[in-house]
Amino acid sequence: MDYVLTHATLIDGTGRDPITDAAMWVRGGRIAWVGPVAALPAEARAVSEQDASGRTVIPGLIDAHVHVCWNGRESVLELVKRDRDLIVLEAVKTLRRILASGTTTVRDIGGHDYVEMALRKAINAGFIAGPRMRTSGKVIAMTGGHGYFIAREADGPDEVRKAAREQIKAGADTIKLMATGGAATPGQDVMASQFTVEELAAAVQAAHALGRTTATHCHGTGGIKNSVLAGIDSIEHGTYLDEETADMMVERGTALVLTLGVANPDLTDVPPAAQAEAKRLEGILDKLSQRMRQSVQIAQAKGVFIGAGSDAGGNPLAPHNFSMARELELLVDHGFSPLAALSIVTRNNARILRWENELGTLEPGKLADFVLLSADPLANISNVRAVEAVYQGGVRVWPPAETLLM
Ligand SMILES: [Zn+2]
């Protein structure tokens, strides 16, 4: 498989200006060369050409925070009671939707009974279509902590260490812990810290010793600070980030994974099953989204390393429906340029997933994961919804070839 995509506008994800009338040479599933058509190497002129005039090429989007086992249309509290086989089958559909929206890689950061591990194997084996996956296995929460209904509950450094090792044994790339209360767990205080620094540090040591990363769910400032002190790699949400903690994050290289979509849900299209939950969450999310705006400003001003995730599936108001497009729209709404926002969800997220050697930018040597858009996302970021085709490793995976439907 060897071809050259020509005459497209190409955004490479590095933050550099787009290349107009660009060519991208794909050879053996990887990018061999990128640049203006006029500068195409002689060797590439002999391979088959795919004319992409009028299209914009962007790197495949990466979702750094998603829950593929849950449909984002019903409460996780209810879904856990569902038959496991049904959860698996629905997740297969969800993974295809994620891919069709231009997201070629995800980090599942709170799974169910290791279903997500089996799904990843099925994708890697070519049984089903779906994004490349990093997984965390079960979230780790203190007894009764946030998301206890899907968590491995653990208390004290020794037990937390063991819980982390269990997830790694099951196939986890990253360890996810709940460092504060959360909105999706009824009756919780999002400001309250959960886990001590010592408990979090035990998980960090266990993970780092085996080459894995760590991430914590954090709303309140105390939980963010505890996480940074413990050496956590990425703070998820980071709603009540303050200046002092932002400085600590910069100093220690802690990443912030924004999840703006989940704080700003689309309440115009709430399915009947989610009406009650929407009512309960409305007041809480209103407050969180206002404070989140402040956190984003602080993070930007201080130069915190920023990634982004949809948190789709995490609650019934977070559907798997162009959720990273929505995240991009909200990043722009929160003050990032469309070009910067695209780098956050490609290059930066690849680094957070420790996959930057192969993914995240359209540069020679990287895997050819890219999206063809029929409209320019720099003119209007919502044009990332205009997905015409999605490629993984140079192969078109959306729309699917007919043989894939058999
Ligand atoms: Zn989440």
Side-chain angles (χ1 to χ4, degrees):
M1 184 199 32
D2 200 355
Y3 59 88
V4 182
L5 214 68
T6 55
H7 306 299
T9 297
L10 185 139
I11 298 168
D12 69 7
T14 64
R16 282 194 287 263
D17 283 339
I19 305 170
T20 51
D21 200 27
M24 183 166 75
W25 179 12
V26 176
R27 188 176 53 192
R30 290 182 186 265
I31 297 164
W33 188 89
V34 179
V37 168
L40 199 59
E43 203 191 331
R45 293 180 190 273
V47 305
S48 81
E49 181 183 343
Q50 284 185 27
D51 190 330
S53 301
R55 321 301 203 290
T56 301
V57 181
I58 60 170
L61 306 180
I62 300 175
D63 190 342
H65 185 132
V66 71
H67 305 278
V68 304
C69 297
W70 314 117
N71 61 29
R73 279 316 202 188
E74 292 163 90
S75 162
V76 176
L77 262 165
E78 291 304 312
L79 288 170
V80 287
K81 298 174 195 159
R82 189 169 282 178
D83 185 274
R84 190 177 188 271
D85 294 343
L86 211 54
I87 291 173
V88 174
L89 290 166
E90 188 170 30
V92 169
K93 183 180 158 200
T94 294
L95 290 163
R96 204 165 49 219
R97 286 174 72 103
I98 291 172
L99 200 57
S101 70
T103 299
T104 51
T105 301
V106 302
R107 182 170 68 155
D108 186 280
I109 199 135
H112 174 62
D113 205 13
Y114 307 123
V115 160
E116 69 290 349
M117 305 285 186
L119 291 166
R120 173 169 61 177
K121 278 185 194 159
I123 291 168
N124 291 346
F127 300 161
I128 60 170
R132 301 180 195 276
M133 284 174 75
R134 293 283 199 229
T135 57
S136 75
K138 293 179 185 172
V139 299
I140 302 174
M142 67 176 202
T143 296
H146 176 46
Y148 64 85
F149 37 88
I150 56 163
R152 158 67 156 96
E153 291 174 291
D155 302 291
D158 287 348
E159 214 179 313
V160 171
R161 184 180 301 112
K162 182 163 190 186
R165 287 175 178 161
E166 284 170 4
Q167 307 321 306
I168 294 167
K169 182 183 177 188
D173 308 288
T174 192
I175 299 301
K176 164 83 177 295
L177 303 111
M178 302 305 204
T180 73
T185 308
Q188 289 215 334
D189 176 2
V190 298
M191 297 305 288
S193 297
Q194 300 185 353
F195 282 134
T196 62
V197 175
E198 291 70 28
E199 286 171 317
L200 295 171
V204 170
Q205 283 160 13
H208 287 179
L210 297 170
R212 267 66 168 189
T213 59
T214 54
T216 48
H217 159 100
C218 293
H219 290 301
T221 316
I224 303 174
K225 198 169 281 181
N226 285 347
S227 300
V228 178
L229 289 171
I232 293 287
D233 299 294
S234 71
I235 303 294
E236 310 293 308
H237 319 301
T239 315
Y240 285 81
L241 178 68
D242 65 5
E243 297 205 356
E244 185 198 345
T245 318
D247 283 332
M248 290 165 61
M249 290 177 73
V250 171
E251 199 176 303
R252 288 159 194 253
T254 317
L256 173 64
V257 175
L258 297 171
T259 57
L260 300 175
V262 77
N264 298 275
D266 180 3
L267 295 172
T268 58
D269 176 32
V270 179
Q275 298 283 356
E277 184 68 353
K279 231 184 160 63
R280 186 185 75 80
L281 283 173
E282 219 165 348
I284 306 174
L285 292 179
D286 205 42
K287 232 167 100 185
L288 294 185
S289 64
Q290 282 178 33
R291 185 52 179 78
M292 183 68 101
R293 219 166 255 284
Q294 206 178 321
S295 285
V296 174
Q297 281 166 4
I298 293 170
Q300 266 183 307
K302 296 286 185 183
V304 174
F305 189 83
I306 294 172
S310 66
D311 208 358
N315 75 58
L317 304 178
H320 297 278
N321 181 20
F322 282 91
S323 50
M324 285 311 287
R326 183 165 174 81
E327 210 57 37
L328 280 162
E329 289 162 355
L330 286 162
L331 283 165
V332 170
D333 176 65
H334 281 66
F336 295 95
S337 70
L339 197 60
L342 279 165
S343 289
I344 286 173
V345 306
T346 55
R347 179 196 57 190
N348 289 15
N349 278 353
R351 200 165 124 190
I352 288 164
L353 270 62
R354 298 284 195 273
W355 226 333
E356 70 272 26
N357 290 338
E358 301 212 279
L359 301 172
T361 59
L362 300 178
E363 294 177 294
K366 300 245 175 138
L367 288 164
D369 284 13
F370 61 94
V371 183
L372 279 187
L373 301 173
S374 59
D376 177 10
L378 301 186
N380 178 354
I381 195 63
S382 292
N383 287 337
V384 291
R385 294 173 185 265
V387 173
E388 194 173 281
V390 182
Y391 292 74
Q392 277 177 318
V395 177
R396 197 190 80 197
V397 289
W398 188 267
E402 272 179 58
T403 49
L404 281 180
L405 298 173
M406 288 167 70

